[in-house]
Amino acid sequence: MSRFPGVDYYNTEELFSEEEIMVRDSVREFVTSEVLPIIEINYQKSAFPKDLIPKLAELGIFGMTLPEKYGCAEMNNMSYGLVMQELERGDSGVRSFASVQSALVMYPIYQFGSEKQKQKWLPKLASAEVIGCFGLTEPDFGSNPGGLVTKAEKVDGGYKLNGAKMWITNGSIADIAIVWAKLDNLIHGFIVEKEFDGFSSPEMKEKHSLKASITSELVLDDVFVPDENKLPNTSGLKSALMCLNQARFGIAWGVVGSMMECYNCALDYSKSRIQFNKPISSFQITQQKLVNMLNEITKAQLLNWRLAKLKDDNKLKYPQVSLAKRNNCEQSLIVAREAREILGANGILSEYPVMRHAANLESVKTYEGTHEMHTLILGEDITGMPAFE
Ligand code: TGC
Ligand code: FAD
């Protein structure tokens, strides 16, 4: 299989350090040799490629920005972003797996956990000996998680949890779930272990998007969670939303990988597909589509670079993450659809990656805050007036 050339119209390569490029290229090669050959088959079978998990752990991807003392790679956010970009070039489901493990399971334990919890869980999550999931969304509370009704009640030695979560990535294969529940009307995070009585995680089936990713319900029926499994430093919705910032950052980067794959595929195809005795790439309307794709990829790359710089400098405000998540997800879908159009009927075949990416990106645009939610987060930031109520 040939080396993926990337898309780099503005020489962004010059903006990255040698180490960042090395990390990116190692994941790029991994995706080319290990993900692309199997992903379409997994997608068609609606099966997450579990064999990739130990290999991803070996690459040091899980919790890669967290400290070495917890078994993590302690790299910067720029590298993390590049890794997410490369993984999503393979498939959004593979990036989702890594996002959840790192940003939504390891991050909350690191940020809100006790030292004992960090030492117990983080090394095992980094090596993927333990898989995690993140349960915030409920059947009746998606965009508005502040209304969630999963309840925690203090009992002797711990807490009793009751409620249900929905749309939970990795749920059915997770050993632990970070569950957000209301205790005395304030949201807190709990580490629920899969063996706990009353806990189950049935898989949600028959999806048309993210088919190579596991999505599940979480059912909590009088689940006893010991005191030692409550994240001691969470308090309120804000703690859960802080985790989302990490995942949204990864998504803003990830979808650029999907865009690059779709663009390269469409460009190659357009040069070899002949209609009216000419390659379709010579037609003005095809060129306009290719230029639009390149234009949006280039803008998203520059946004992401700046976003990571702000994050690495500890200057990032959460609405800035919303702007990148909102823009890049919206544009990635447009790019995938334009690529599909250029491929004509062939665009719907699994021989090409485009339709799979287009279908995946529908979910990616919805999860981690819909386009509308990010519009309103930005609207509030610039006007000072929240429009949610
Ligand atoms: P609101 O009053 O706006 O906020 C409560 C407090 O939190 C602060 N805050 C944030 N802090 C850090 N990061 C953020 N992103 C924050 N957003 C808000 C806020 O300043 C306030 O602080 P304080 O000190 O004043 O108390 O709360 P609200 O209930 O009005 O929330 C509104 C809204 C829309 C922002 C929020 O609920 C939201 O973001 N909704 C979208 C829900 C969402 O994104 N769900 C994602 C679930 S996880 C998922 O999808 C995983 S996909 C995984 C994969 O497979 O990759
Ligand atoms: P709703 O909130 O019901 O929204 C429906 C529509 O109404 C949307 O277009 C929305 O933008 C719009 N809308 C809502 N409120 C407003 C408003 N005030 N103004 C304007 N428009 C509005 N969640 C987790 O907790 N953990 C996970 O691991 C996870 N993984 C997921 C994996 C997949 C494949 C999917 C699809 C979702 C996942 N989610 C997960 C859930 C995801 O975060 C939610 O689907 C998302 O937050 C939107 O919630 P909803 O689907 O309930 O839509």
Side-chain angles (χ1 to χ4, degrees), residues 48 50 53 96-97 100-101 104-105 109 121 124-125 128-135 168-179 190-196 199-203 213-219:
F48 173 69
K50 285 188 203 144
I53 299 173
S96 259
F97 179 88
V100 169
Q101 182 85 347
L104 296 179
V105 179
I109 293 175
W121 295 112
K124 287 184 182 161
L125 287 157
E129 194 185 321
V130 168
I131 308 294
C133 68
F134 177 90
I168 307 306
T169 302
N170 300 349
S172 312
I173 54 163
D175 302 292
I176 60 170
I178 305 294
V179 170
F190 297 84
I191 304 172
V192 176
E193 301 180 36
K194 75 170 177 207
E195 301 82 18
F196 287 177
F199 177 70
S200 58
S201 50
E203 190 171 348
S213 168
I214 290 168
T215 314
S216 315
E217 295 172 50
L218 304 181
V219 182

Side-chain angles (χ1 to χ4, degrees), residues 100 104 134-139 141-144 166-169 207 210 215 363 366-373 376 387-388:
V100 169
L104 296 179
F134 177 90
L136 179 65
T137 304
E138 298 186 355
F141 296 93
S143 297
N144 177 24
M166 206 171 175
W167 298 109
I168 307 306
T169 302
K207 290 178 295 180
L210 276 179
T215 314
S363 286
T366 288
Y367 66 34
E368 282 299 345
T370 63
H371 190 79
E372 293 75 22
M373 284 303 107
L376 298 181
F388 309 114

Side-chain angles (χ1 to χ4, degrees), residues 259 328-338 357-359 361-362 365:
M259 288 197 250
N328 296 2
C329 288
E330 169 98 328
Q331 294 306 327
S332 67
L333 255 177
I334 294 171
V335 164
R337 288 175 188 148
E338 282 177 325
H357 278 295
L361 290 165
E362 291 288 347
K365 191 180 173 197

